[in-house]
Amino acid sequence: MKFERYGIGIAKGLMVTIKHLFRHPITVQYPEQRLHPSRRTRGNELVWSKDKCTGCATCAKACHEGAIRIVTSTSPDINNNYEVETYEVDTGYCIFCGLCVEACPFNALFMGYAYERSQYRRNDLVQSKEDMMLESGKKQPSGYFFPEIAKELPRQTLLLEKITEREEE
Ligand code: SF4
Ligand code: SF4
């Protein structure tokens, strides 16, 4: 058994704390300060385009978690499209792998850019089509799988750069 003098461990721990007292903090004061995530982030929601979706259900078939529920009816509209009555994603089951986004043949599905969707109730994790509709203008798709969108998003905030800025002040 290794013998150590009593209190050495505490002293070592204190030295680490004291050393960090004189360093610039590398945390931000959330929620007052928010960082931009990566432009290609897979946020904790999906964004869906009502105008582009044909109701083909390829996304639901690609989802190994069974997180997407689609109900369609035949539509008398042009192009023989289905009418999408229900489009839901249960983000409680979704693992944000992005496979449904890659599978969509009509570019109607996107990973979201948001990361603040925690809920108190399990049922509130289900996104309805109204919640995730691109055309509402309230949802920002991420640049994941869509480089043309990534170009338009703000540059990711790197904590390392924030520290360098503070040290140069
Ligand atoms: S991101 Fe993955 S787990 Fe989530 S709905 Fe799409 S395929 Fe399913
Ligand atoms: S989001 Fe894409 S894959 Fe899913 S039903 Fe609509 S068109 Fe088909």
Side-chain angles (χ1 to χ4, degrees):
M1 195 174 80
K2 201 178 158 199
F3 174 78
E4 264 207 32
R5 211 176 267 279
Y6 177 75
I8 294 269
I10 297 173
K12 277 185 190 165
L14 272 174
M15 283 305 292
V16 173
T17 311
I18 291 166
K19 226 164 60 186
H20 279 83
L21 270 181
F22 299 101
R23 286 193 182 165
H24 289 289
I26 55 167
T27 50
V28 288
Q29 299 300 314
Y30 181 85
E32 286 79 21
Q33 292 177 304
R34 287 179 163 87
L35 304 177
H36 293 304
S38 158
R39 290 166 167 168
R40 290 180 299 160
T41 192
R42 285 177 283 178
N44 58 359
E45 65 180 17
L46 279 116
V47 179
W48 169 79
S49 169
K50 177 181 180 289
D51 295 347
K52 289 185 189 167
C53 181
T54 60
C56 67
T58 309
C59 52
K61 286 175 201 149
C63 179
H64 40 79
E65 301 301 316
I68 303 178
R69 191 169 86 89
I70 305 176
V71 179
T72 54
S73 58
T74 44
S75 161
D77 286 356
I78 44 165
N79 296 337
N80 239 355
N81 283 356
Y82 288 116
E83 185 86 42
V84 181
E85 289 174 1
T86 307
Y87 193 101
E88 285 179 355
V89 177
D90 191 335
T91 58
Y93 287 110
C94 176
I95 59 165
F96 309 106
C97 63
L99 288 182
C100 53
V101 172
E102 295 180 26
C104 176
F106 300 99
N107 291 344
L109 198 56
F110 310 84
M111 297 308 298
Y113 188 65
Y115 54 88
E116 297 170 304
R117 271 201 86 251
S118 52
Q119 307 287 344
Y120 284 108
R121 291 167 192 276
R122 182 73 181 67
N123 285 351
D124 294 341
L125 290 171
V126 178
Q127 276 189 283
S128 68
K129 64 177 185 179
E130 288 76 23
D131 289 339
M132 54 196 295
M133 202 181 290
L134 178 70
E135 288 75 15
S136 71
K138 292 180 188 156
K139 294 291 167 185
Q140 173 63 62
S142 149
Y144 172 81
F145 199 62
F146 291 97
E148 64 282 9
I149 295 178
K151 276 189 279 178
E152 291 163 14
L153 291 168
R155 199 167 153 268
Q156 182 181 5
T157 327
L158 296 176
L159 278 174
L160 184 66
E161 286 172 6
K162 279 189 142 327
I163 298 160
T164 320
E165 272 167 31
R166 282 189 212 137
E167 281 176 352
E168 282 170 359
E169 277 169 10

